[in-house]
Amino acid sequence: MSDYKAPVKDMLFALRHLAQYESNSALPGYADADFETAKAIVEECAKLCETVVAPLNPIGDKNPSTWSHGEVTTPPGFKEAYRQYAESGWQSLQHPAEFGGQAMPKTLATVCMEIVNSANLSFALCPLLTDGATEALLTAASAEVKQRYLPKMISGEWTGSMNLTEPQAGSDLELVRTRAEPQPDGSYRIFGTKIFITYGEHDMADNIVHLVLARVPSAPPGVKGISLFVVPKYLVNDDGSIGARNDVHCVSIEHKLGIKASPTAVLQYGDHGGAIGYIVGEENRGLEYMFVMMNAARFAVGVQGIAVAERAYQQAVGYARERVQSRPVDGSSPKAVPIIQHPDVKRMLMTMRALTEGCRGLAYSAAALFDSMHGDPDEEARCRSQRRYEFLVPLIKGFATEMSVEVASLGIQVHGGMGFIEETGAAQHLRDARILTIYEGTTAI
Amino acid sequence: MSDYKAPVKDMLFALRHLAQYESNSALPGYADADFETAKAIVEECAKLCETVVAPLNPIGDKNPSTWSHGEVTTPPGFKEAYRQYAESGWQSLQHPAEFGGQAMPKTLATVCMEIVNSANLSFALCPLLTDGATEALLTAASAEVKQRYLPKMISGEWTGSMNLTEPQAGSDLELVRTRAEPQPDGSYRIFGTKIFITYGEHDMADNIVHLVLARVPSAPPGVKGISLFVVPKYLVNDDGSIGARNDVHCVSIEHKLGIKASPTAVLQYGDHGGAIGYIVGEENRGLEYMFVMMNAARFAVGVQGIAVAERAYQQAVGYARERVQSRPVDGSSPKAVPIIQHPDVKRMLMTMRALTEGCRGLAYSAAALFDSMHGDPDEEARCRSQRRYEFLVPLIKGFATEMSVEVASLGIQVHGGMGFIEETGAAQHLRDARILTIYEGTTAI
C-alpha cells in the first residue's frame, strides 16, 4: 500500500503558471488570498489529508458503509475524520463570509478539493455534495432558508445531498414522479422514492439537508414542471436547534464496484404522512437551480478524476521503483533492475503522469475563470470568463473522468499480477474511478 | 442479470468464412470433423455451457473459492459442473486419440473454448490450464510419463496447473529459485515456493498434475538452467491408481479483483522432506517446453478476452433494449424510448460488437493455421502456417485482452448507474477481464 503525498510543488506550479493565480487573487474580494497564503493553505490541507484522510481509504474499501434499520454506519474512522476536516474549516473554504465561510477563490479551493479526493474519494464525496447543495441554496433559496441551513452546512456540522434520480428517471429527469403537496403554512409534503443518493444517510453529521426534485400538483409535464425543495433529515427549530425527525428514511444502500465507503442510499419520502419540505426559489424552476449544483458537481467530479489518477500514479511509481525484475534491454546491467528502468513501464508511468497533469492544468485554469466570472469588476471580462468556464466544465467532466479510468487501469498494469490482488491497493483506484464517467451526468450527456 | 446465449450463428460464420473451416477439416486426420459435425458439436457445447456453466458465473463471483487448512473449496456447483463438463468429453475435444482424446481440430476446439469462457471465465480456467499442461507433456514428456498422466488429464478426471511464478520471479523467469534434487531412482525432490498458481489447489478433480519450473544443482545460471517437472498432488501407483499425498501444499489463496471463483494458490513444495517430481524431457530445457504450454495458454487467454467481451456485450445490449429513458434526439417519438435507440448507446454497443467479432475472426483464423501447421501434408505449407501462427499469437493475446477491458468498461457505461451496482452483473466482466492483459505474459512482454 503506497501512501499518498500531495504533489504540492506540481500543484503550486499549475496554480501559479497555468491558472495565473496571482492575477486572479488580485481581484477585489480576494485581498487575503495572495499566493503565499494560498501556498500555506495548500500545505495545511495536504498535512491533514495525508495523515488523517488518506489512511482511511483502504479501510473504507474493505469495510463499506453498512445499513441497519434505516441507519447507516460509515467505516471506522470516517466520522472522526470528518469532524476534524470540518472543525479545521475545510468545508467553509470557498463559501461566502456572510454565512461563516472563508471566501477564498475557487481556484484555491480546487487544489484543496483535489487533495482530499486523492486522499480518499469516498470520504471526499460528503464535502463535495455539501458544496453542491450549498451552491444551489446560495443561488436560489430565500433569505430565511439560507439563514436556517447555510451556516451549519458551511461549518460542516450538517451535510448536504442531491436527490435527482428515481428508479425510472436517471439521465431523463422529465420522468421524475416525486410529488410535493403545498400546505397552508407555505411548506410542502414530499412523497416519493429517490435512488443513488450519495451520502443520503450517514452518521458523520448531526443533520442532512436533502435537496429534492419534485412536482407540485399544478406543474406542467416535462422538465419545466420540476421544483426544488429543501428537506432536512431533522427539522430545524426557529432558534436553529435540531427538531423532530422528518419523514425521509433510508430503506437500503447499494453494493457497489467501488467508492464502497460512500453510502449510496435509496431514500423513501413520505411513507408516514409526508416529508416536510420547503421550496427553493420559485415553483417549476427546480431544474434551473439544480443545474447550478450540477455544474459545480460536474466540475468537482472532473477534479475527482484528476485526484484518483494522481493517487494511482503515486501507487504505481512507488511499486515500479521497488520491484526488481529483468535486466535492462540496453544491456547496461548484468542484473535485474527496478522495473521503472524498463521502457514500457516508463511509457505507462509517463502516460499516467502526462494525462493527470494536463487535466490538472485545465481544471485549475477553469476554476480561475469561475473566480473571474464572479469577481472581475469589468462586466465584459466576467461574461467572457463565464462563456469559457461553461464551455470547459463538460470537457473537464468528460475527459478527466474517462482519463482517470485509463490511468487507474494502467496503474494496475504497472503492478503486473500484484495489481490484481486487492491488498496491493491498485485495483481500488480502478473500481473507484469507474463511477466518475457515470454520475453527475454520463460522458455522453 | 442477463443470461448467456452462445452466438452460434456468428461463430459458425467466422468458422466457415473467416477460418475457412471446410478446407481445414479436409486435412488428413480430420475426416470425422466436417462442418455439419462441427456445427452439432458447437450447439451441444452451447447447450451445456448456457444451462450449467453460465448460471454459476455470478454465484462464483459472490462466493469466491475459500481456503482452510490447505484445502480449497470452490463455489457451490463448480465441482458438479466440472464433472459434467468432463464426462461429456469437452476436456478431450482437441487431444490425441492415443490418450483418449477426440482429436478434433483446434479451430473447432477454439469455438468451444470461447463458449465455456463466455459462460464462466473463472470456471473455464481449470480446463484451460489442463489443456496447457497436456500440451507440454505431449511435446516433451517420456512415454512413461505420458501414459501415466495424460489419459486422466484428457478425460478430465485430473486437472493440470502451470507453476512458473515465484515471489521474486514473475515476468523474469531467470530469477527462479525452486530447487530440484536428483534421487537415485531417477526422480527428483522439489523445494520452493510458487505463487499465482491458477487452480493450483481445488476440489473439482481427484488429482492435480503440477508442471513446475525448477533448477537442478548442476544447472547453469539464467534461463538456460531451468528444468520442467511433473509433480502430482497425489503420487500415482503403477496400476494408475492414486497413491500417497505428495509434499506440495497450498498455504493460501489470493483475494482478487476478479475471477474470484478461480483459486489462485501459493504452493509450498518440499517443506516436509521434498515433493516428488519427475523430469519432463531433458534437464535445463524446461523453458523451451514451458513455452509450448505458454503459447497454447497465451492463445487461450486471447480467446478469453473475446469471450468476456461477448458476454459483456450481451449483458449491455439486453439492458439497452429494456431500459426506457429520454426521447429520441430526432424527435421521432414524444415519449422516452429504450436507450438502444439513442445514437451514443448504439455507438458503444456497435464498438463492443465490432471489436469482439473482429478478434473472433482473427482467433479462429489463427487456430486454423495451427491445424494446418500440424496436419498439412505439404511441409512448406506447414512451415508457412507455423510462421503466421506464431506471429499472430502475441497479437491475439495482446490485442484481444486489451480490447476486452475496453469492451467490459463500455458495457458498464451502457448501464449508467446500474452498471456500478454489483448485482447488475456488468461490473464483474470488467473485474474479470482486468487480469487478461497481465497473466500468461503481460501485454508488454
Side-chain angles (χ1 to χ4, degrees), chain A residues 170 174 325-326 409 413 434 437, chain B residues 170 172 325 409 413 434 437:
Chain A
E174 190 169 288
Q325 199 77 176
S326 300
S409 188
Q413 193 70 18
R434 194 62 196 80
T437 66
Chain B
D172 188 3
Q325 199 77 175
S409 189
Q413 192 71 18
R434 194 61 196 81
T437 66

Side-chain angles (χ1 to χ4, degrees), chain B residues 4 23 32 37 43 82 84 94 117 159 193 223 288 315-316 341 352 363 367 390 415 418 423 427:
Chain B
Y4 168 66
S23 63
D32 299 339
T37 307
E43 284 166 353
Y82 186 68
Q84 211 174 324
Q94 64 181 309
N117 274 288
T159 68
T193 304
V223 291
E288 187 184 314
Q315 165 105 30
Q341 297 186 32
M352 295 170 77
E390 287 175 356
H415 287 78
M418 288 306 294
E423 284 75 5

Side-chain angles (χ1 to χ4, degrees), chain B residues 108-145:
Chain B
L108 173 57
T110 300
V111 182
C112 297
M113 192 198 296
E114 184 193 325
I115 294 175
V116 64
N117 274 288
S118 270
N120 195 326
L121 209 63
S122 283
F123 175 90
L125 277 164
C126 188
L128 190 157
L129 270 297
T130 305
D131 282 342
T134 301
E135 293 288 342
L137 293 182
L138 282 169
T139 306
S142 67
E144 202 253 318
V145 165

Side-chain angles (χ1 to χ4, degrees), chain B residues 41-62:
Chain B
I41 289 175
V42 169
E43 284 166 353
E44 204 54 43
C45 182
K47 200 192 292 176
L48 177 75
C49 290
E50 289 167 2
T51 56
V52 176
V53 183
L56 297 177
N57 195 43
I59 293 171
D61 189 56
K62 279 181 207 80

